[in-house]
Amino acid sequence: MATIYTEKDANRQALSGGSIAVIGYGSQGRAHARNLRDSGFDVIVGARSGGKAELTARRDGFRTTSPADAAAQAQLIALLTPDMAHKSVYEEDIAPNIQPGAALLVAHGFSVIYGQISPRADIDVILVAPKGPGDLVRREYEIGRGVPALFAVHKDATGKARDRALAYASGIGGTTAGAIETTFPEETETDLFGEQAVLCGGASELINAGFETLVEAGYQPEVAYFECLHELKLIVDLLYEGGLEKMLHFISETAKYGDFVSGPRVINDETRARMKEVLTDIQNGSFAKAWIAENEAGKPEYQRMWDEDRARPIEKTGAELRRHMAWLQKSADAKTAAAETKAA
Protein backbone atom coordinates (compact mmCIF):
# COMPACT_ATOMS: atom_id res chain seq x y z
CA MET A 1 0.00 0.00 0.00
CA ALA A 2 1.22 3.48 -0.85
CA THR A 3 2.07 5.86 1.97
CA ILE A 4 -0.31 8.80 2.23
CA TYR A 5 1.59 11.99 3.10
CA THR A 6 -0.29 14.68 5.03
CA GLU A 7 0.33 18.14 6.40
CA LYS A 8 2.58 16.82 9.18
CA ASP A 9 4.96 15.46 6.52
CA ALA A 10 5.29 18.74 4.63
CA ASN A 11 7.78 21.45 5.57
CA ARG A 12 6.71 24.69 3.92
CA GLN A 13 10.01 26.26 5.00
CA ALA A 14 11.56 24.35 2.09
CA LEU A 15 10.08 27.08 -0.12
CA SER A 16 10.57 30.04 2.19
CA GLY A 17 12.70 33.04 1.33
CA GLY A 18 11.91 33.21 -2.37
CA SER A 19 9.18 33.59 -4.95
CA ILE A 20 7.21 30.98 -6.85
CA ALA A 21 6.64 31.78 -10.52
CA VAL A 22 3.53 30.33 -12.13
CA ILE A 23 3.83 30.21 -15.92
CA GLY A 24 0.57 29.14 -17.53
CA TYR A 25 -2.50 30.75 -16.00
CA GLY A 26 -5.20 28.36 -17.19
CA SER A 27 -7.40 26.07 -15.12
CA GLN A 28 -4.61 24.51 -13.06
CA GLY A 29 -2.27 27.51 -13.08
CA ARG A 30 -4.87 29.89 -11.73
CA ALA A 31 -5.91 27.48 -8.98
CA HIS A 32 -2.30 26.76 -7.97
CA ALA A 33 -1.37 30.44 -7.89
CA ARG A 34 -4.36 31.45 -5.76
CA ASN A 35 -3.96 28.55 -3.34
CA LEU A 36 -0.23 29.16 -2.96
CA ARG A 37 -0.80 32.85 -2.26
CA ASP A 38 -3.46 32.05 0.34
CA SER A 39 -0.99 29.61 1.92
CA GLY A 40 1.44 32.47 2.46
CA PHE A 41 3.80 32.07 -0.49
CA ASP A 42 5.00 34.95 -2.66
CA VAL A 43 3.64 34.24 -6.14
CA ILE A 44 4.55 35.87 -9.45
CA VAL A 45 2.61 35.09 -12.62
CA GLY A 46 4.68 34.93 -15.80
CA ALA A 47 2.50 35.87 -18.77
CA ARG A 48 2.78 37.43 -22.22
CA SER A 49 2.12 41.16 -22.24
CA GLY A 50 -1.47 42.00 -23.14
CA GLY A 51 -2.62 38.40 -23.21
CA LYS A 52 -5.64 36.88 -21.51
CA ALA A 53 -3.49 35.23 -18.84
CA GLU A 54 -1.91 38.54 -17.85
CA LEU A 55 -5.27 40.31 -17.68
CA THR A 56 -6.86 37.55 -15.59
CA ALA A 57 -3.89 37.33 -13.22
CA ARG A 58 -3.87 41.09 -12.66
CA ARG A 59 -7.59 41.04 -12.03
CA ASP A 60 -6.91 38.37 -9.42
CA GLY A 61 -4.44 40.71 -7.74
CA PHE A 62 -1.16 39.10 -8.80
CA ARG A 63 2.08 40.75 -9.71
CA THR A 64 2.76 39.87 -13.34
CA THR A 65 5.81 40.01 -15.53
CA SER A 66 7.12 38.26 -18.62
CA PRO A 67 7.78 34.50 -18.35
CA ALA A 68 11.52 35.18 -18.73
CA ASP A 69 11.58 37.75 -15.93
CA ALA A 70 9.47 35.52 -13.70
CA ALA A 71 11.88 32.63 -14.23
CA ALA A 72 14.84 34.85 -13.34
CA GLN A 73 13.23 36.04 -10.09
CA ALA A 74 11.86 32.77 -8.70
CA GLN A 75 13.27 29.96 -6.58
CA LEU A 76 10.62 27.63 -8.07
CA ILE A 77 9.05 27.86 -11.53
CA ALA A 78 5.76 26.02 -11.97
CA LEU A 79 5.44 25.31 -15.70
CA LEU A 80 1.69 24.84 -16.10
CA THR A 81 1.13 25.60 -19.77
CA PRO A 82 -0.29 22.87 -22.06
CA ASP A 83 2.15 20.00 -22.65
CA MET A 84 2.91 20.97 -26.24
CA ALA A 85 3.95 24.50 -25.18
CA HIS A 86 6.52 23.28 -22.64
CA LYS A 87 9.37 22.97 -25.13
CA SER A 88 9.23 26.54 -26.45
CA VAL A 89 8.54 28.13 -23.05
CA TYR A 90 11.39 26.23 -21.42
CA GLU A 91 13.90 26.88 -24.19
CA GLU A 92 13.03 30.54 -24.75
CA ASP A 93 12.08 31.78 -21.28
CA ILE A 94 13.15 29.41 -18.54
CA ALA A 95 16.46 27.78 -19.49
CA PRO A 96 18.33 31.05 -20.10
CA ASN A 97 17.01 32.63 -16.90
CA ILE A 98 16.43 30.06 -14.17
CA GLN A 99 18.95 30.43 -11.38
CA PRO A 100 21.27 27.57 -10.31
CA GLY A 101 19.71 25.70 -7.41
CA ALA A 102 16.17 26.71 -8.33
CA ALA A 103 13.42 24.18 -9.05
CA LEU A 104 11.35 23.47 -12.15
CA LEU A 105 7.94 21.98 -11.37
CA VAL A 106 5.41 20.41 -13.74
CA ALA A 107 1.95 18.98 -13.09
CA HIS A 108 2.34 16.23 -15.70
CA GLY A 109 5.58 14.54 -16.71
CA PHE A 110 4.97 14.26 -20.48
CA SER A 111 7.48 16.87 -21.63
CA VAL A 112 10.23 15.57 -19.36
CA ILE A 113 9.71 11.85 -19.99
CA TYR A 114 9.46 12.19 -23.76
CA GLY A 115 12.38 14.58 -24.16
CA GLN A 116 10.56 17.78 -25.07
CA ILE A 117 12.58 19.58 -22.42
CA SER A 118 16.03 18.71 -21.05
CA PRO A 119 16.41 20.57 -17.74
CA ARG A 120 19.85 21.74 -16.73
CA ALA A 121 21.84 19.62 -14.31
CA ASP A 122 22.02 22.37 -11.68
CA ILE A 123 18.27 22.63 -10.99
CA ASP A 124 15.74 20.44 -9.20
CA VAL A 125 13.04 18.91 -11.41
CA ILE A 126 9.86 17.94 -9.55
CA LEU A 127 6.21 17.12 -10.18
CA VAL A 128 3.02 17.83 -8.24
CA ALA A 129 -0.18 16.62 -9.89
CA PRO A 130 -3.54 17.25 -8.19
CA LYS A 131 -6.04 14.54 -9.07
CA GLY A 132 -8.79 16.90 -10.11
CA PRO A 133 -9.46 19.90 -12.40
CA GLY A 134 -8.34 23.36 -11.39
CA ASP A 135 -11.81 24.53 -10.39
CA LEU A 136 -12.10 21.65 -7.92
CA VAL A 137 -8.57 22.25 -6.62
CA ARG A 138 -9.54 25.81 -5.78
CA ARG A 139 -13.00 25.08 -4.35
CA GLU A 140 -11.79 22.30 -2.07
CA TYR A 141 -8.92 24.46 -0.83
CA GLU A 142 -11.32 27.30 0.01
CA ILE A 143 -13.42 25.05 2.23
CA GLY A 144 -10.35 23.57 3.91
CA ARG A 145 -10.31 20.09 2.39
CA GLY A 146 -8.05 19.99 -0.65
CA VAL A 147 -7.73 17.53 -3.56
CA PRO A 148 -5.39 14.49 -3.36
CA ALA A 149 -2.14 14.89 -5.27
CA LEU A 150 0.78 12.90 -6.62
CA PHE A 151 4.35 14.16 -6.21
CA ALA A 152 7.66 13.01 -7.65
CA VAL A 153 11.31 13.93 -8.05
CA HIS A 154 13.03 13.58 -11.42
CA LYS A 155 16.27 15.37 -10.53
CA ASP A 156 17.55 16.34 -7.08
CA ALA A 157 20.34 18.84 -7.71
CA THR A 158 20.12 20.54 -4.33
CA GLY A 159 19.19 17.74 -1.93
CA LYS A 160 15.96 19.66 -1.24
CA ALA A 161 13.86 18.54 -4.22
CA ARG A 162 11.57 16.17 -2.34
CA ASP A 163 10.97 18.69 0.45
CA ARG A 164 10.18 21.33 -2.14
CA ALA A 165 7.66 19.07 -3.87
CA LEU A 166 5.88 18.29 -0.61
CA ALA A 167 5.89 21.96 0.38
CA TYR A 168 4.30 22.89 -2.94
CA ALA A 169 1.75 20.09 -2.58
CA SER A 170 0.91 21.47 0.85
CA GLY A 171 0.56 24.98 -0.54
CA ILE A 172 -2.11 23.97 -3.05
CA GLY A 173 -4.00 21.74 -0.58
CA GLY A 174 -2.67 18.36 -1.71
CA THR A 175 -1.37 17.22 1.66
CA THR A 176 -4.61 18.26 3.36
CA ALA A 177 -6.37 15.63 1.26
CA GLY A 178 -3.35 13.30 1.13
CA ALA A 179 -0.40 13.08 -1.28
CA ILE A 180 1.15 9.93 -2.76
CA GLU A 181 4.76 9.70 -3.89
CA THR A 182 5.28 8.41 -7.41
CA THR A 183 7.79 8.69 -10.25
CA PHE A 184 7.69 10.73 -13.43
CA PRO A 185 7.20 7.62 -15.63
CA GLU A 186 4.47 6.18 -13.39
CA GLU A 187 2.49 9.44 -13.24
CA THR A 188 2.85 10.08 -16.96
CA GLU A 189 2.12 6.59 -18.23
CA THR A 190 -0.83 5.90 -15.93
CA ASP A 191 -2.34 9.31 -16.65
CA LEU A 192 -2.12 8.81 -20.42
CA PHE A 193 -3.46 5.27 -20.17
CA GLY A 194 -6.38 6.31 -17.98
CA GLU A 195 -7.35 9.09 -20.38
CA GLN A 196 -7.10 6.91 -23.47
CA ALA A 197 -8.41 3.53 -22.36
CA VAL A 198 -10.98 4.43 -19.71
CA LEU A 199 -11.84 8.04 -18.86
CA CYS A 200 -12.01 9.71 -22.28
CA GLY A 201 -11.31 7.37 -25.19
CA GLY A 202 -12.79 4.23 -23.67
CA ALA A 203 -15.83 5.90 -22.10
CA SER A 204 -16.76 8.00 -25.14
CA GLU A 205 -16.47 5.05 -27.53
CA LEU A 206 -18.48 2.80 -25.20
CA ILE A 207 -21.23 5.42 -24.90
CA ASN A 208 -21.40 6.02 -28.64
CA ALA A 209 -21.33 2.31 -29.47
CA GLY A 210 -24.21 1.66 -27.08
CA PHE A 211 -26.20 4.55 -28.54
CA GLU A 212 -25.65 3.40 -32.13
CA THR A 213 -26.48 -0.22 -31.29
CA LEU A 214 -29.89 0.78 -29.93
CA VAL A 215 -30.67 3.24 -32.73
CA GLU A 216 -29.68 0.76 -35.44
CA ALA A 217 -32.00 -1.76 -33.77
CA GLY A 218 -34.90 0.65 -34.27
CA TYR A 219 -35.14 2.35 -30.87
CA GLN A 220 -35.72 6.09 -30.59
CA PRO A 221 -32.48 8.14 -30.41
CA GLU A 222 -33.82 10.09 -27.43
CA VAL A 223 -34.45 6.92 -25.43
CA ALA A 224 -31.03 5.57 -26.43
CA TYR A 225 -29.39 8.83 -25.28
CA PHE A 226 -31.01 8.62 -21.87
CA GLU A 227 -29.94 5.00 -21.38
CA CYS A 228 -26.38 5.21 -22.69
CA LEU A 229 -25.22 8.72 -21.75
CA HIS A 230 -27.59 10.63 -19.48
CA GLU A 231 -27.89 7.97 -16.78
CA LEU A 232 -24.16 7.30 -16.80
CA LYS A 233 -23.67 10.25 -14.44
CA LEU A 234 -25.80 8.55 -11.81
CA ILE A 235 -23.62 5.44 -11.95
CA VAL A 236 -20.35 7.39 -12.00
CA ASP A 237 -21.44 9.41 -8.96
CA LEU A 238 -22.06 6.18 -7.03
CA LEU A 239 -18.70 4.76 -8.13
CA TYR A 240 -16.95 8.01 -7.15
CA GLU A 241 -18.57 8.07 -3.73
CA GLY A 242 -18.14 4.43 -2.74
CA GLY A 243 -16.53 2.33 -5.43
CA LEU A 244 -18.08 -0.75 -7.01
CA GLU A 245 -19.64 -1.80 -3.72
CA LYS A 246 -21.78 1.33 -3.37
CA MET A 247 -22.80 1.26 -7.03
CA LEU A 248 -23.92 -2.37 -6.77
CA HIS A 249 -25.74 -1.66 -3.52
CA PHE A 250 -27.88 1.09 -5.03
CA ILE A 251 -28.83 -0.44 -8.39
CA SER A 252 -31.62 -2.99 -8.80
CA GLU A 253 -31.08 -6.73 -8.57
CA THR A 254 -31.91 -6.99 -12.28
CA ALA A 255 -29.22 -4.40 -13.04
CA LYS A 256 -26.74 -6.26 -10.82
CA TYR A 257 -27.41 -9.57 -12.56
CA GLY A 258 -27.01 -7.88 -15.93
CA ASP A 259 -23.71 -6.38 -14.71
CA PHE A 260 -22.42 -9.80 -13.70
CA VAL A 261 -23.38 -11.73 -16.84
CA SER A 262 -23.01 -9.11 -19.59
CA GLY A 263 -20.18 -6.85 -18.47
CA PRO A 264 -17.55 -9.52 -19.23
CA ARG A 265 -19.11 -10.06 -22.69
CA VAL A 266 -18.46 -6.42 -23.59
CA ILE A 267 -15.14 -5.93 -21.80
CA ASN A 268 -13.44 -9.23 -22.49
CA ASP A 269 -9.99 -10.68 -23.20
CA GLU A 270 -9.91 -9.00 -26.60
CA THR A 271 -10.66 -5.63 -25.00
CA ARG A 272 -7.92 -6.18 -22.43
CA ALA A 273 -5.49 -7.06 -25.22
CA ARG A 274 -6.31 -3.75 -26.91
CA MET A 275 -5.77 -1.96 -23.60
CA LYS A 276 -2.34 -3.56 -23.34
CA GLU A 277 -1.56 -2.32 -26.85
CA VAL A 278 -2.51 1.21 -25.79
CA LEU A 279 -0.27 0.92 -22.72
CA THR A 280 2.62 -0.43 -24.80
CA ASP A 281 2.37 2.51 -27.20
CA ILE A 282 2.57 4.85 -24.22
CA GLN A 283 5.45 3.02 -22.57
CA ASN A 284 7.61 2.77 -25.70
CA GLY A 285 6.99 6.37 -26.71
CA SER A 286 4.97 5.67 -29.86
CA PHE A 287 1.99 7.69 -28.70
CA ALA A 288 4.14 10.63 -27.64
CA LYS A 289 6.06 10.57 -30.94
CA ALA A 290 2.82 10.59 -32.94
CA TRP A 291 1.24 13.37 -30.85
CA ILE A 292 4.36 15.56 -31.00
CA ALA A 293 4.54 15.10 -34.80
CA GLU A 294 0.82 15.87 -35.14
CA ASN A 295 1.24 19.06 -33.13
CA GLU A 296 4.25 20.15 -35.17
CA ALA A 297 2.25 19.58 -38.38
CA GLY A 298 -0.49 21.93 -37.22
CA LYS A 299 -2.84 19.23 -35.89
CA PRO A 300 -4.80 18.45 -39.08
CA GLU A 301 -5.76 14.89 -38.03
CA TYR A 302 -6.54 16.06 -34.52
CA GLN A 303 -8.95 18.64 -35.94
CA ARG A 304 -10.50 16.14 -38.35
CA MET A 305 -11.17 13.62 -35.58
CA TRP A 306 -12.51 16.34 -33.29
CA ASP A 307 -14.91 17.49 -36.01
CA GLU A 308 -16.05 13.90 -36.60
CA ASP A 309 -16.76 13.39 -32.90
CA ARG A 310 -18.83 16.57 -32.71
CA ALA A 311 -20.82 15.50 -35.79
CA ARG A 312 -21.95 12.18 -34.29
CA PRO A 313 -25.74 11.68 -34.11
CA ILE A 314 -25.60 11.32 -30.33
CA GLU A 315 -24.39 14.92 -30.10
CA LYS A 316 -27.35 16.28 -32.06
CA THR A 317 -29.79 14.23 -29.99
CA GLY A 318 -28.14 15.26 -26.72
CA ALA A 319 -28.09 18.97 -27.57
CA GLU A 320 -31.82 18.94 -28.20
CA LEU A 321 -32.64 16.97 -25.05
CA ARG A 322 -30.45 19.11 -22.82
CA ARG A 323 -32.40 22.20 -23.87
CA HIS A 324 -35.28 20.78 -21.81
CA MET A 325 -33.20 20.05 -18.70
CA ALA A 326 -33.79 23.14 -16.60
CA TRP A 327 -31.23 22.22 -13.97
CA LEU A 328 -28.46 22.22 -16.58
CA GLN A 329 -29.48 25.66 -17.78
CA LYS A 330 -29.50 26.99 -14.23
CA SER A 331 -26.01 25.61 -13.68
CA ALA A 332 -24.75 27.25 -16.86
CA ASP A 333 -26.40 30.58 -15.93
CA ALA A 334 -24.81 30.47 -12.48
CA LYS A 335 -21.34 29.90 -13.94
CA THR A 336 -21.81 32.74 -16.44
CA ALA A 337 -22.99 35.09 -13.69
CA ALA A 338 -20.03 34.16 -11.49
CA ALA A 339 -17.62 34.81 -14.35
CA GLU A 340 -19.22 38.19 -15.09
CA THR A 341 -19.03 39.13 -11.40
CA LYS A 342 -15.32 38.32 -11.28
CA ALA A 343 -14.72 40.32 -14.45
CA ALA A 344 -16.53 43.38 -13.11
Side-chain angles (χ1 to χ4, degrees):
M1 293 290 290
T3 300
I4 307 296
Y5 294 91
T6 62
E7 279 292 281
K8 65 180 176 58
D9 302 303
N11 176 17
R12 292 190 182 183
Q13 292 303 308
L15 289 177
S16 65
S19 299
I20 296 174
V22 172
I23 300 177
Y25 203 69
S27 174
Q28 286 289 342
R30 187 176 185 221
H32 288 215
R34 296 166 82 193
N35 290 5
L36 288 164
R37 179 178 62 187
D38 290 352
S39 292
F41 294 105
D42 178 44
V43 179
I44 313 167
V45 174
R48 307 295 179 194
S49 178
K52 180 181 177 182
E54 181 188 60
L55 295 175
T56 304
R58 285 186 176 177
R59 192 165 61 235
D60 288 340
F62 284 102
R63 177 165 53 103
T64 65
T65 186
S66 69
D69 286 344
Q73 294 180 42
Q75 64 161 327
L76 184 148
I77 297 103
L79 178 54
L80 301 176
T81 62
D83 293 330
M84 292 298 106
H86 279 203
K87 182 177 181 179
S88 61
V89 174
Y90 180 78
E91 290 179 351
E92 296 169 16
D93 300 310
I94 298 176
N97 297 293
I98 187 171
Q99 299 300 309
L104 175 70
L105 178 142
V106 294
H108 179 45
F110 186 100
S111 59
V112 175
I113 292 302
Y114 299 116
Q116 288 294 282
I117 62 175
S118 299
R120 294 197 327 241
D122 61 353
I123 62 172
D124 292 339
V125 182
I126 56 180
L127 175 150
V128 175
K131 301 312 292 178
D135 182 58
L136 183 67
V137 171
R138 178 59 180 169
R139 281 189 285 115
E140 288 297 297
Y141 178 92
E142 288 182 305
I143 59 179
R145 294 191 301 214
V147 170
L150 303 179
F151 72 96
V153 174
H154 178 72
K155 185 182 296 182
D156 185 6
T158 66
K160 301 185 295 184
R162 189 172 181 277
D163 288 341
R164 282 171 156 176
L166 268 171
Y168 187 98
S170 172
I172 63 171
T175 51
T176 302
I180 295 174
E181 189 166 13
T182 183
T183 64
F184 270 59
E186 183 177 61
E187 182 279 330
T188 304
E189 292 165 7
T190 57
D191 187 76
L192 293 174
F193 177 81
E195 291 169 349
Q196 295 174 34
V198 181
L199 306 175
C200 303
S204 61
E205 288 301 316
L206 184 64
I207 290 166
N208 194 62
F211 174 86
E212 291 181 348
T213 298
L214 288 177
V215 172
E216 288 168 6
Y219 299 102
Q220 296 179 78
E222 293 80 7
V223 175
Y225 177 89
F226 280 127
E227 291 302 327
C228 296
L229 189 153
H230 177 79
E231 292 192 27
L232 182 62
K233 182 185 186 305
L234 308 177
I235 299 301
V236 169
D237 284 349
L238 292 171
L239 290 167
Y240 179 77
E241 293 166 5
L244 294 171
E245 181 178 357
K246 182 167 184 177
M247 184 272 288
L248 291 170
H249 177 76
F250 278 92
I251 63 176
S252 70
E253 288 193 337
T254 302
K256 277 197 281 285
Y257 181 70
D259 176 315
F260 300 149
V261 301
S262 297
R265 296 169 66 190
V266 177
I267 307 300
N268 53 27
D269 288 344
E270 182 179 356
T271 313
R272 292 186 180 88
R274 297 291 177 267
M275 285 185 167
K276 289 180 180 178
E277 290 176 5
V278 169
L279 181 57
T280 297
D281 285 348
I282 292 167
Q283 291 172 326
N284 66 23
S286 297
F287 168 77
K289 182 178 179 181
W291 173 222
I292 292 167
E294 175 68 17
N295 187 74
E296 291 175 347
K299 300 187 281 193
E301 280 299 292
Y302 170 90
Q303 188 62 53
R304 180 188 64 77
M305 292 184 287
W306 191 4
D307 291 341
E308 284 184 357
D309 260 18
R310 290 185 292 184
R312 287 179 170 183
I314 193 173
E315 287 293 88
K316 181 178 180 180
T317 300
E320 179 60 30
L321 287 174
R322 289 190 295 272
R323 287 179 56 243
H324 302 280
M325 300 177 189
W327 65 92
L328 293 180
Q329 187 60 46
K330 288 179 181 178
S331 176
D333 290 345
K335 288 181 179 179
T336 300
E340 290 174 348
T341 300
K342 288 177 181 177

